[in-house]
Amino acid sequence: MGQARDPLDPKGLIRESFRIEGISPGECRSIFLDWALGLPIDQDSETSRMQLADRYGAEHPDHPMTLVLREGGTTGAPGDTARPRRRGGWRARREGGTG
């Protein structure tokens, strides 16, 4: 039969990305997004991401998916860890707006 189901990577998307020769960083980001969206709602994606980065990073330090896993919690440019802030909405209009 097939491989046992990995609770960190239920669909095997991350595992398979390391098997794709010549995969690009953009393709890895797309796979990463699919992986994150496919996790069970009660699973901590940040912890799972870090565990996967540890698992695959030592064996594949230069693979684009390793970089994506390590930077998965960042937004914008590499090294930019600022969390996005919501702009607008009813509170912004009510508190600072003119109406």
Side-chain angles (χ1 to χ4, degrees):
M1 299 278 294
Q3 292 183 340
R5 186 175 160 164
D6 181 355
L8 295 177
D9 186 14
K11 296 179 184 178
L13 296 172
I14 303 298
R15 181 189 71 241
E16 290 301 317
S17 71
F18 284 97
R19 296 179 178 178
I20 300 172
E21 191 170 327
I23 192 168
S24 72
E27 291 167 324
C28 288
R29 284 189 294 273
S30 178
I31 291 169
F32 175 77
L33 180 60
D34 287 345
W35 167 81
L37 292 173
L39 288 177
I41 193 78
D42 60 342
Q43 185 167 339
D44 181 3
S45 61
E46 193 65 10
T47 300
S48 298
R49 176 189 65 79
M50 291 186 297
Q51 290 174 340
L52 287 169
D54 289 344
R55 177 190 295 173
Y56 292 108
E59 191 173 335
H60 306 280
D62 298 325
H63 195 282
M65 183 55 87
T66 300
L67 181 63
V68 169
L69 287 170
R70 288 190 175 140
E71 294 183 345
T74 64
T75 60
D80 177 11
T81 58
R83 297 197 51 95
R85 285 184 271 166
R86 181 181 168 159
R87 295 184 227 160
W90 68 270
R91 279 197 174 143
R93 287 191 297 275
R94 197 176 93 183
E95 294 172 5
T98 58

